[in-house]
């Protein structure tokens, strides 16, 4: 679900930043799925209306927050969304862990 939505947004993005739209849509879809699951659970409950509304809202909220928002953040975190700069030396200086394993280069980055 995450990859399909991301690929669809990446192909169709025009002016909106894809990560923000991705998180908003993912949270909304998971919330809707949670609300539907809460409605199904409430069909079987023989309790008062306030308890049913609480179950519906909690399932929708938690489903939107945990697998929707946080799952989307973790999905985006695993992707490298940074744009490469025009200066590759500056990229290496900003990220010394991606530099070569040569001890001299590690000493250079450590001292600067």
């Amino acid at each position: 679900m995450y990859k399909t939505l991301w690929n669809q947004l990446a192909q169709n993005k025009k002016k909106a930043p894809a990560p923000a739209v991705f998180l908003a849509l993912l949270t909304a879809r998971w919330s809707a799925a949670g609300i539907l699951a809460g409605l199904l659970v409430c069909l079987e409950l023989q309790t008062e209306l306030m308890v049913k509304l609480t179950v519906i809202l909690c399932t929708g909220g938690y489903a939107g927050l945990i697998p929707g928002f946080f799952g989307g953040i973790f999905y985006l975190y695993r992707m490298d969304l940074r744009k490469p700069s025009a200066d590759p030396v500056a990229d290496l200086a900003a990220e010394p862990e991606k530099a070569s394993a040569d001890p001299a280069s590690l000493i250079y980055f450590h001292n600067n």
Side-chain angles (χ1 to χ4, degrees):
M1 179 172 165
Y2 296 92
K3 187 175 184 178
T4 305
L5 181 61
W6 179 255
N7 289 339
Q8 197 172 31
L9 282 173
Q11 291 174 355
N12 297 326
K13 73 175 182 179
K14 293 181 182 177
K15 292 183 181 178
V21 175
F22 174 75
L23 286 176
L25 286 175
L26 202 60
T27 303
R29 286 184 179 186
W30 275 103
S31 293
I35 288 172
L36 289 175
L39 285 171
L40 292 175
V41 167
C42 286
L43 290 175
E44 300 297 321
L45 290 178
Q46 300 296 325
T47 60
E48 59 188 51
L49 179 64
M50 288 305 291
V51 173
K52 290 181 180 183
L53 288 176
T54 303
V55 169
I56 293 169
L57 291 176
C58 284
T59 55
Y62 283 122
L65 184 67
I66 296 169
F69 186 71
F70 291 138
I73 286 174
F74 289 135
Y75 180 79
L76 292 175
Y77 182 74
R78 287 184 286 154
M79 298 174 63
D80 190 16
L81 298 177
R82 292 173 289 164
K83 294 178 183 175
S85 66
D87 187 14
V89 175
D91 289 341
L92 287 176
E95 298 179 25
E97 66 273 0
K98 289 189 177 181
S100 67
D102 180 29
S105 66
L106 295 176
I107 292 170
Y108 172 76
F109 286 121
H110 178 38
N111 290 334
N112 290 329

PDB file of all heavy atoms in Angstrom, residues 13-50:
ATOM      1  N   LYS A  13       3.018  14.196  -9.313  1.00  0.00           N
ATOM      2  CA  LYS A  13       3.225  15.432  -8.551  1.00  0.00           C
ATOM      3  C   LYS A  13       3.513  16.590  -9.489  1.00  0.00           C
ATOM      4  O   LYS A  13       4.222  16.465 -10.465  1.00  0.00           O
ATOM      5  CB  LYS A  13       4.332  15.270  -7.517  1.00  0.00           C
ATOM      6  CG  LYS A  13       5.723  15.217  -8.085  1.00  0.00           C
ATOM      7  CD  LYS A  13       6.730  15.172  -6.961  1.00  0.00           C
ATOM      8  CE  LYS A  13       8.124  15.182  -7.567  1.00  0.00           C
ATOM      9  NZ  LYS A  13       9.134  15.168  -6.560  1.00  0.00           N
ATOM     10  N   LYS A  14       2.934  17.730  -9.146  1.00  0.00           N
ATOM     11  CA  LYS A  14       3.142  18.927  -9.950  1.00  0.00           C
ATOM     12  C   LYS A  14       3.766  20.012  -9.079  1.00  0.00           C
ATOM     13  O   LYS A  14       4.936  20.299  -9.206  1.00  0.00           O
ATOM     14  CB  LYS A  14       1.826  19.395 -10.552  1.00  0.00           C
ATOM     15  CG  LYS A  14       1.288  18.415 -11.574  1.00  0.00           C
ATOM     16  CD  LYS A  14       0.009  18.882 -12.182  1.00  0.00           C
ATOM     17  CE  LYS A  14      -0.457  17.806 -13.159  1.00  0.00           C
ATOM     18  NZ  LYS A  14      -1.700  18.088 -13.761  1.00  0.00           N
ATOM     19  N   LYS A  15       2.982  20.587  -8.184  1.00  0.00           N
ATOM     20  CA  LYS A  15       3.500  21.641  -7.317  1.00  0.00           C
ATOM     21  C   LYS A  15       3.569  21.199  -5.854  1.00  0.00           C
ATOM     22  O   LYS A  15       4.335  21.753  -5.094  1.00  0.00           O
ATOM     23  CB  LYS A  15       2.625  22.892  -7.415  1.00  0.00           C
ATOM     24  CG  LYS A  15       2.709  23.567  -8.766  1.00  0.00           C
ATOM     25  CD  LYS A  15       1.901  24.825  -8.773  1.00  0.00           C
ATOM     26  CE  LYS A  15       1.972  25.495 -10.135  1.00  0.00           C
ATOM     27  NZ  LYS A  15       1.171  26.691 -10.191  1.00  0.00           N
ATOM     28  N   ALA A  16       2.746  20.256  -5.462  1.00  0.00           N
ATOM     29  CA  ALA A  16       2.691  19.843  -4.063  1.00  0.00           C
ATOM     30  C   ALA A  16       3.874  18.944  -3.731  1.00  0.00           C
ATOM     31  O   ALA A  16       4.263  18.101  -4.528  1.00  0.00           O
ATOM     32  CB  ALA A  16       1.394  19.096  -3.791  1.00  0.00           C
ATOM     33  N   PRO A  17       4.456  19.127  -2.562  1.00  0.00           N
ATOM     34  CA  PRO A  17       5.549  18.233  -2.149  1.00  0.00           C
ATOM     35  C   PRO A  17       5.008  16.838  -1.875  1.00  0.00           C
ATOM     36  O   PRO A  17       4.058  16.660  -1.116  1.00  0.00           O
ATOM     37  CB  PRO A  17       6.102  18.893  -0.897  1.00  0.00           C
ATOM     38  CG  PRO A  17       5.038  19.813  -0.418  1.00  0.00           C
ATOM     39  CD  PRO A  17       4.198  20.179  -1.601  1.00  0.00           C
ATOM     40  N   ALA A  18       5.599  15.856  -2.502  1.00  0.00           N
ATOM     41  CA  ALA A  18       5.091  14.493  -2.434  1.00  0.00           C
ATOM     42  C   ALA A  18       5.097  13.912  -1.028  1.00  0.00           C
ATOM     43  O   ALA A  18       4.133  13.240  -0.652  1.00  0.00           O
ATOM     44  CB  ALA A  18       5.878  13.599  -3.385  1.00  0.00           C
ATOM     45  N   PRO A  19       6.114  14.116  -0.180  1.00  0.00           N
ATOM     46  CA  PRO A  19       6.067  13.512   1.162  1.00  0.00           C
ATOM     47  C   PRO A  19       4.904  14.018   2.013  1.00  0.00           C
ATOM     48  O   PRO A  19       4.270  13.243   2.727  1.00  0.00           O
ATOM     49  CB  PRO A  19       7.415  13.894   1.783  1.00  0.00           C
ATOM     50  CG  PRO A  19       8.316  14.098   0.640  1.00  0.00           C
ATOM     51  CD  PRO A  19       7.459  14.667  -0.447  1.00  0.00           C
ATOM     52  N   ALA A  20       4.589  15.291   1.937  1.00  0.00           N
ATOM     53  CA  ALA A  20       3.484  15.830   2.735  1.00  0.00           C
ATOM     54  C   ALA A  20       2.144  15.270   2.263  1.00  0.00           C
ATOM     55  O   ALA A  20       1.296  14.886   3.081  1.00  0.00           O
ATOM     56  CB  ALA A  20       3.483  17.354   2.656  1.00  0.00           C
ATOM     57  N   VAL A  21       1.949  15.223   0.971  1.00  0.00           N
ATOM     58  CA  VAL A  21       0.706  14.680   0.428  1.00  0.00           C
ATOM     59  C   VAL A  21       0.616  13.183   0.730  1.00  0.00           C
ATOM     60  O   VAL A  21      -0.445  12.667   1.071  1.00  0.00           O
ATOM     61  CB  VAL A  21       0.621  14.951  -1.091  1.00  0.00           C
ATOM     62  CG1 VAL A  21      -0.588  14.287  -1.706  1.00  0.00           C
ATOM     63  CG2 VAL A  21       0.602  16.444  -1.354  1.00  0.00           C
ATOM     64  N   PHE A  22       1.747  12.494   0.640  1.00  0.00           N
ATOM     65  CA  PHE A  22       1.803  11.067   0.930  1.00  0.00           C
ATOM     66  C   PHE A  22       1.362  10.790   2.370  1.00  0.00           C
ATOM     67  O   PHE A  22       0.522   9.924   2.609  1.00  0.00           O
ATOM     68  CB  PHE A  22       3.227  10.564   0.699  1.00  0.00           C
ATOM     69  CG  PHE A  22       3.473   9.145   1.102  1.00  0.00           C
ATOM     70  CD1 PHE A  22       3.005   8.099   0.338  1.00  0.00           C
ATOM     71  CD2 PHE A  22       4.191   8.853   2.250  1.00  0.00           C
ATOM     72  CE1 PHE A  22       3.231   6.786   0.704  1.00  0.00           C
ATOM     73  CE2 PHE A  22       4.427   7.549   2.625  1.00  0.00           C
ATOM     74  CZ  PHE A  22       3.956   6.517   1.852  1.00  0.00           C
ATOM     75  N   LEU A  23       1.901  11.539   3.327  1.00  0.00           N
ATOM     76  CA  LEU A  23       1.529  11.331   4.727  1.00  0.00           C
ATOM     77  C   LEU A  23       0.069  11.670   4.987  1.00  0.00           C
ATOM     78  O   LEU A  23      -0.614  10.958   5.734  1.00  0.00           O
ATOM     79  CB  LEU A  23       2.435  12.140   5.649  1.00  0.00           C
ATOM     80  CG  LEU A  23       3.840  11.623   5.820  1.00  0.00           C
ATOM     81  CD1 LEU A  23       4.655  12.577   6.677  1.00  0.00           C
ATOM     82  CD2 LEU A  23       3.833  10.245   6.436  1.00  0.00           C
ATOM     83  N   ALA A  24      -0.422  12.730   4.385  1.00  0.00           N
ATOM     84  CA  ALA A  24      -1.822  13.114   4.590  1.00  0.00           C
ATOM     85  C   ALA A  24      -2.776  12.057   4.030  1.00  0.00           C
ATOM     86  O   ALA A  24      -3.739  11.659   4.694  1.00  0.00           O
ATOM     87  CB  ALA A  24      -2.087  14.466   3.945  1.00  0.00           C
ATOM     88  N   LEU A  25      -2.507  11.594   2.813  1.00  0.00           N
ATOM     89  CA  LEU A  25      -3.373  10.580   2.213  1.00  0.00           C
ATOM     90  C   LEU A  25      -3.294   9.246   2.948  1.00  0.00           C
ATOM     91  O   LEU A  25      -4.311   8.571   3.139  1.00  0.00           O
ATOM     92  CB  LEU A  25      -3.013  10.377   0.739  1.00  0.00           C
ATOM     93  CG  LEU A  25      -3.436  11.478  -0.210  1.00  0.00           C
ATOM     94  CD1 LEU A  25      -2.916  11.201  -1.611  1.00  0.00           C
ATOM     95  CD2 LEU A  25      -4.937  11.625  -0.224  1.00  0.00           C
ATOM     96  N   LEU A  26      -2.101   8.879   3.359  1.00  0.00           N
ATOM     97  CA  LEU A  26      -1.929   7.622   4.069  1.00  0.00           C
ATOM     98  C   LEU A  26      -2.648   7.647   5.415  1.00  0.00           C
ATOM     99  O   LEU A  26      -3.320   6.683   5.786  1.00  0.00           O
ATOM    100  CB  LEU A  26      -0.439   7.343   4.259  1.00  0.00           C
ATOM    101  CG  LEU A  26      -0.028   5.910   4.505  1.00  0.00           C
ATOM    102  CD1 LEU A  26      -0.439   5.025   3.343  1.00  0.00           C
ATOM    103  CD2 LEU A  26       1.464   5.828   4.703  1.00  0.00           C
ATOM    104  N   THR A  27      -2.543   8.761   6.123  1.00  0.00           N
ATOM    105  CA  THR A  27      -3.238   8.896   7.404  1.00  0.00           C
ATOM    106  C   THR A  27      -4.749   8.860   7.201  1.00  0.00           C
ATOM    107  O   THR A  27      -5.475   8.202   7.967  1.00  0.00           O
ATOM    108  CB  THR A  27      -2.818  10.204   8.094  1.00  0.00           C
ATOM    109  OG1 THR A  27      -1.405  10.203   8.260  1.00  0.00           O
ATOM    110  CG2 THR A  27      -3.481  10.353   9.437  1.00  0.00           C
ATOM    111  N   ALA A  28      -5.245   9.530   6.178  1.00  0.00           N
ATOM    112  CA  ALA A  28      -6.682   9.538   5.912  1.00  0.00           C
ATOM    113  C   ALA A  28      -7.193   8.149   5.533  1.00  0.00           C
ATOM    114  O   ALA A  28      -8.264   7.721   5.993  1.00  0.00           O
ATOM    115  CB  ALA A  28      -6.999  10.534   4.801  1.00  0.00           C
ATOM    116  N   ARG A  29      -6.431   7.427   4.718  1.00  0.00           N
ATOM    117  CA  ARG A  29      -6.866   6.078   4.319  1.00  0.00           C
ATOM    118  C   ARG A  29      -6.879   5.118   5.498  1.00  0.00           C
ATOM    119  O   ARG A  29      -7.810   4.327   5.654  1.00  0.00           O
ATOM    120  CB  ARG A  29      -5.955   5.539   3.221  1.00  0.00           C
ATOM    121  CG  ARG A  29      -6.195   6.171   1.879  1.00  0.00           C
ATOM    122  CD  ARG A  29      -5.327   5.528   0.828  1.00  0.00           C
ATOM    123  NE  ARG A  29      -5.570   6.106  -0.473  1.00  0.00           N
ATOM    124  CZ  ARG A  29      -5.040   5.654  -1.585  1.00  0.00           C
ATOM    125  NH1 ARG A  29      -4.212   4.637  -1.566  1.00  0.00           N
ATOM    126  NH2 ARG A  29      -5.313   6.222  -2.729  1.00  0.00           N
ATOM    127  N   TRP A  30      -5.843   5.162   6.324  1.00  0.00           N
ATOM    128  CA  TRP A  30      -5.814   4.280   7.494  1.00  0.00           C
ATOM    129  C   TRP A  30      -6.897   4.665   8.497  1.00  0.00           C
ATOM    130  O   TRP A  30      -7.474   3.789   9.166  1.00  0.00           O
ATOM    131  CB  TRP A  30      -4.437   4.285   8.145  1.00  0.00           C
ATOM    132  CG  TRP A  30      -3.496   3.325   7.505  1.00  0.00           C
ATOM    133  CD1 TRP A  30      -2.480   3.616   6.642  1.00  0.00           C
ATOM    134  CD2 TRP A  30      -3.481   1.905   7.662  1.00  0.00           C
ATOM    135  NE1 TRP A  30      -1.844   2.465   6.249  1.00  0.00           N
ATOM    136  CE2 TRP A  30      -2.436   1.401   6.873  1.00  0.00           C
ATOM    137  CE3 TRP A  30      -4.249   1.008   8.404  1.00  0.00           C
ATOM    138  CZ2 TRP A  30      -2.136   0.052   6.799  1.00  0.00           C
ATOM    139  CZ3 TRP A  30      -3.958  -0.335   8.329  1.00  0.00           C
ATOM    140  CH2 TRP A  30      -2.915  -0.802   7.530  1.00  0.00           C
ATOM    141  N   SER A  31      -7.180   5.954   8.627  1.00  0.00           N
ATOM    142  CA  SER A  31      -8.259   6.376   9.528  1.00  0.00           C
ATOM    143  C   SER A  31      -9.607   5.869   9.032  1.00  0.00           C
ATOM    144  O   SER A  31     -10.438   5.404   9.822  1.00  0.00           O
ATOM    145  CB  SER A  31      -8.295   7.900   9.649  1.00  0.00           C
ATOM    146  OG  SER A  31      -7.156   8.367  10.295  1.00  0.00           O
ATOM    147  N   ALA A  32      -9.837   5.959   7.742  1.00  0.00           N
ATOM    148  CA  ALA A  32     -11.091   5.454   7.178  1.00  0.00           C
ATOM    149  C   ALA A  32     -11.214   3.947   7.380  1.00  0.00           C
ATOM    150  O   ALA A  32     -12.292   3.437   7.725  1.00  0.00           O
ATOM    151  CB  ALA A  32     -11.171   5.802   5.694  1.00  0.00           C
ATOM    152  N   ALA A  33     -10.107   3.232   7.191  1.00  0.00           N
ATOM    153  CA  ALA A  33     -10.137   1.786   7.411  1.00  0.00           C
ATOM    154  C   ALA A  33     -10.398   1.466   8.883  1.00  0.00           C
ATOM    155  O   ALA A  33     -11.143   0.531   9.212  1.00  0.00           O
ATOM    156  CB  ALA A  33      -8.822   1.157   6.963  1.00  0.00           C
ATOM    157  N   GLY A  34      -9.824   2.252   9.780  1.00  0.00           N
ATOM    158  CA  GLY A  34     -10.057   2.053  11.209  1.00  0.00           C
ATOM    159  C   GLY A  34     -11.487   2.357  11.611  1.00  0.00           C
ATOM    160  O   GLY A  34     -12.072   1.658  12.443  1.00  0.00           O
ATOM    161  N   ILE A  35     -12.063   3.391  11.028  1.00  0.00           N
ATOM    162  CA  ILE A  35     -13.456   3.726  11.321  1.00  0.00           C
ATOM    163  C   ILE A  35     -14.376   2.613  10.830  1.00  0.00           C
ATOM    164  O   ILE A  35     -15.329   2.230  11.525  1.00  0.00           O
ATOM    165  CB  ILE A  35     -13.823   5.091  10.714  1.00  0.00           C
ATOM    166  CG1 ILE A  35     -13.132   6.199  11.508  1.00  0.00           C
ATOM    167  CG2 ILE A  35     -15.323   5.302  10.660  1.00  0.00           C
ATOM    168  CD1 ILE A  35     -13.261   7.579  10.908  1.00  0.00           C
ATOM    169  N   LEU A  36     -14.100   2.070   9.657  1.00  0.00           N
ATOM    170  CA  LEU A  36     -14.908   0.949   9.157  1.00  0.00           C
ATOM    171  C   LEU A  36     -14.775  -0.278  10.063  1.00  0.00           C
ATOM    172  O   LEU A  36     -15.766  -0.958  10.331  1.00  0.00           O
ATOM    173  CB  LEU A  36     -14.516   0.609   7.725  1.00  0.00           C
ATOM    174  CG  LEU A  36     -14.928   1.624   6.667  1.00  0.00           C
ATOM    175  CD1 LEU A  36     -14.375   1.220   5.306  1.00  0.00           C
ATOM    176  CD2 LEU A  36     -16.438   1.748   6.614  1.00  0.00           C
ATOM    177  N   ALA A  37     -13.565  -0.538  10.536  1.00  0.00           N
ATOM    178  CA  ALA A  37     -13.375  -1.659  11.457  1.00  0.00           C
ATOM    179  C   ALA A  37     -14.112  -1.403  12.765  1.00  0.00           C
ATOM    180  O   ALA A  37     -14.729  -2.318  13.337  1.00  0.00           O
ATOM    181  CB  ALA A  37     -11.883  -1.875  11.720  1.00  0.00           C
ATOM    182  N   GLY A  38     -14.084  -0.171  13.238  1.00  0.00           N
ATOM    183  CA  GLY A  38     -14.825   0.173  14.449  1.00  0.00           C
ATOM    184  C   GLY A  38     -16.326   0.026  14.268  1.00  0.00           C
ATOM    185  O   GLY A  38     -17.036  -0.414  15.180  1.00  0.00           O
ATOM    186  N   LEU A  39     -16.821   0.383  13.095  1.00  0.00           N
ATOM    187  CA  LEU A  39     -18.251   0.200  12.810  1.00  0.00           C
ATOM    188  C   LEU A  39     -18.630  -1.282  12.817  1.00  0.00           C
ATOM    189  O   LEU A  39     -19.698  -1.663  13.323  1.00  0.00           O
ATOM    190  CB  LEU A  39     -18.607   0.826  11.468  1.00  0.00           C
ATOM    191  CG  LEU A  39     -18.697   2.345  11.432  1.00  0.00           C
ATOM    192  CD1 LEU A  39     -18.840   2.834   9.994  1.00  0.00           C
ATOM    193  CD2 LEU A  39     -19.859   2.820  12.269  1.00  0.00           C
ATOM    194  N   LEU A  40     -17.769  -2.117  12.252  1.00  0.00           N
ATOM    195  CA  LEU A  40     -18.043  -3.554  12.255  1.00  0.00           C
ATOM    196  C   LEU A  40     -18.053  -4.125  13.669  1.00  0.00           C
ATOM    197  O   LEU A  40     -18.881  -4.983  13.996  1.00  0.00           O
ATOM    198  CB  LEU A  40     -17.018  -4.293  11.388  1.00  0.00           C
ATOM    199  CG  LEU A  40     -17.108  -4.026   9.888  1.00  0.00           C
ATOM    200  CD1 LEU A  40     -15.964  -4.715   9.156  1.00  0.00           C
ATOM    201  CD2 LEU A  40     -18.451  -4.491   9.354  1.00  0.00           C
ATOM    202  N   VAL A  41     -17.138  -3.653  14.504  1.00  0.00           N
ATOM    203  CA  VAL A  41     -17.110  -4.114  15.897  1.00  0.00           C
ATOM    204  C   VAL A  41     -18.353  -3.645  16.634  1.00  0.00           C
ATOM    205  O   VAL A  41     -18.949  -4.387  17.420  1.00  0.00           O
ATOM    206  CB  VAL A  41     -15.817  -3.613  16.599  1.00  0.00           C
ATOM    207  CG1 VAL A  41     -15.894  -3.800  18.102  1.00  0.00           C
ATOM    208  CG2 VAL A  41     -14.598  -4.311  16.031  1.00  0.00           C
ATOM    209  N   CYS A  42     -18.778  -2.413  16.364  1.00  0.00           N
ATOM    210  CA  CYS A  42     -19.934  -1.858  17.071  1.00  0.00           C
ATOM    211  C   CYS A  42     -21.250  -2.511  16.671  1.00  0.00           C
ATOM    212  O   CYS A  42     -22.225  -2.424  17.408  1.00  0.00           O
ATOM    213  CB  CYS A  42     -20.009  -0.354  16.841  1.00  0.00           C
ATOM    214  SG  CYS A  42     -18.760   0.514  17.771  1.00  0.00           S
ATOM    215  N   LEU A  43     -21.288  -3.151  15.519  1.00  0.00           N
ATOM    216  CA  LEU A  43     -22.508  -3.863  15.139  1.00  0.00           C
ATOM    217  C   LEU A  43     -22.785  -5.024  16.096  1.00  0.00           C
ATOM    218  O   LEU A  43     -23.932  -5.388  16.321  1.00  0.00           O
ATOM    219  CB  LEU A  43     -22.403  -4.370  13.701  1.00  0.00           C
ATOM    220  CG  LEU A  43     -22.447  -3.304  12.616  1.00  0.00           C
ATOM    221  CD1 LEU A  43     -22.221  -3.943  11.255  1.00  0.00           C
ATOM    222  CD2 LEU A  43     -23.768  -2.564  12.645  1.00  0.00           C
ATOM    223  N   GLU A  44     -21.722  -5.591  16.651  1.00  0.00           N
ATOM    224  CA  GLU A  44     -21.856  -6.721  17.565  1.00  0.00           C
ATOM    225  C   GLU A  44     -22.003  -6.305  19.022  1.00  0.00           C
ATOM    226  O   GLU A  44     -22.419  -7.110  19.845  1.00  0.00           O
ATOM    227  CB  GLU A  44     -20.647  -7.657  17.416  1.00  0.00           C
ATOM    228  CG  GLU A  44     -20.480  -8.226  16.028  1.00  0.00           C
ATOM    229  CD  GLU A  44     -21.658  -9.107  15.610  1.00  0.00           C
ATOM    230  OE1 GLU A  44     -22.169  -9.855  16.462  1.00  0.00           O
ATOM    231  OE2 GLU A  44     -22.060  -9.023  14.434  1.00  0.00           O
ATOM    232  N   LEU A  45     -21.638  -5.075  19.354  1.00  0.00           N
ATOM    233  CA  LEU A  45     -21.724  -4.627  20.750  1.00  0.00           C
ATOM    234  C   LEU A  45     -23.161  -4.291  21.119  1.00  0.00           C
ATOM    235  O   LEU A  45     -23.877  -3.654  20.355  1.00  0.00           O
ATOM    236  CB  LEU A  45     -20.843  -3.392  20.970  1.00  0.00           C
ATOM    237  CG  LEU A  45     -19.342  -3.583  20.924  1.00  0.00           C
ATOM    238  CD1 LEU A  45     -18.654  -2.234  21.121  1.00  0.00           C
ATOM    239  CD2 LEU A  45     -18.892  -4.552  21.990  1.00  0.00           C
ATOM    240  N   GLN A  46     -23.543  -4.705  22.287  1.00  0.00           N
ATOM    241  CA  GLN A  46     -24.871  -4.381  22.805  1.00  0.00           C
ATOM    242  C   GLN A  46     -24.718  -3.370  23.941  1.00  0.00           C
ATOM    243  O   GLN A  46     -25.092  -3.629  25.072  1.00  0.00           O
ATOM    244  CB  GLN A  46     -25.567  -5.656  23.296  1.00  0.00           C
ATOM    245  CG  GLN A  46     -25.776  -6.706  22.246  1.00  0.00           C
ATOM    246  CD  GLN A  46     -26.718  -6.237  21.149  1.00  0.00           C
ATOM    247  OE1 GLN A  46     -27.652  -5.498  21.406  1.00  0.00           O
ATOM    248  NE2 GLN A  46     -26.451  -6.662  19.923  1.00  0.00           N
ATOM    249  N   THR A  47     -24.164  -2.212  23.622  1.00  0.00           N
ATOM    250  CA  THR A  47     -23.928  -1.175  24.625  1.00  0.00           C
ATOM    251  C   THR A  47     -24.576   0.119  24.178  1.00  0.00           C
ATOM    252  O   THR A  47     -25.180   0.200  23.110  1.00  0.00           O
ATOM    253  CB  THR A  47     -22.415  -0.952  24.846  1.00  0.00           C
ATOM    254  OG1 THR A  47     -21.835  -0.562  23.614  1.00  0.00           O
ATOM    255  CG2 THR A  47     -21.738  -2.202  25.354  1.00  0.00           C
ATOM    256  N   GLU A  48     -24.398   1.142  24.981  1.00  0.00           N
ATOM    257  CA  GLU A  48     -25.017   2.430  24.659  1.00  0.00           C
ATOM    258  C   GLU A  48     -24.256   3.153  23.554  1.00  0.00           C
ATOM    259  O   GLU A  48     -23.144   2.775  23.171  1.00  0.00           O
ATOM    260  CB  GLU A  48     -25.097   3.294  25.912  1.00  0.00           C
ATOM    261  CG  GLU A  48     -23.757   3.561  26.543  1.00  0.00           C
ATOM    262  CD  GLU A  48     -23.887   4.256  27.873  1.00  0.00           C
ATOM    263  OE1 GLU A  48     -24.645   3.783  28.728  1.00  0.00           O
ATOM    264  OE2 GLU A  48     -23.225   5.293  28.019  1.00  0.00           O
ATOM    265  N   LEU A  49     -24.841   4.211  23.087  1.00  0.00           N
ATOM    266  CA  LEU A  49     -24.320   4.929  21.934  1.00  0.00           C
ATOM    267  C   LEU A  49     -22.947   5.554  22.198  1.00  0.00           C
ATOM    268  O   LEU A  49     -22.073   5.526  21.326  1.00  0.00           O
ATOM    269  CB  LEU A  49     -25.312   6.018  21.512  1.00  0.00           C
ATOM    270  CG  LEU A  49     -24.917   6.888  20.331  1.00  0.00           C
ATOM    271  CD1 LEU A  49     -24.816   6.037  19.071  1.00  0.00           C
ATOM    272  CD2 LEU A  49     -25.910   8.008  20.148  1.00  0.00           C
ATOM    273  N   MET A  50     -22.727   6.096  23.376  1.00  0.00           N
ATOM    274  CA  MET A  50     -21.448   6.754  23.675  1.00  0.00           C
ATOM    275  C   MET A  50     -20.292   5.763  23.647  1.00  0.00           C
ATOM    276  O   MET A  50     -19.191   6.099  23.213  1.00  0.00           O
ATOM    277  CB  MET A  50     -21.505   7.460  25.033  1.00  0.00           C
ATOM    278  CG  MET A  50     -22.374   8.705  25.035  1.00  0.00           C
ATOM    279  SD  MET A  50     -21.925   9.906  23.777  1.00  0.00           S
ATOM    280  CE  MET A  50     -20.370  10.456  24.393  1.00  0.00           C
TER     281      MET A  50
END
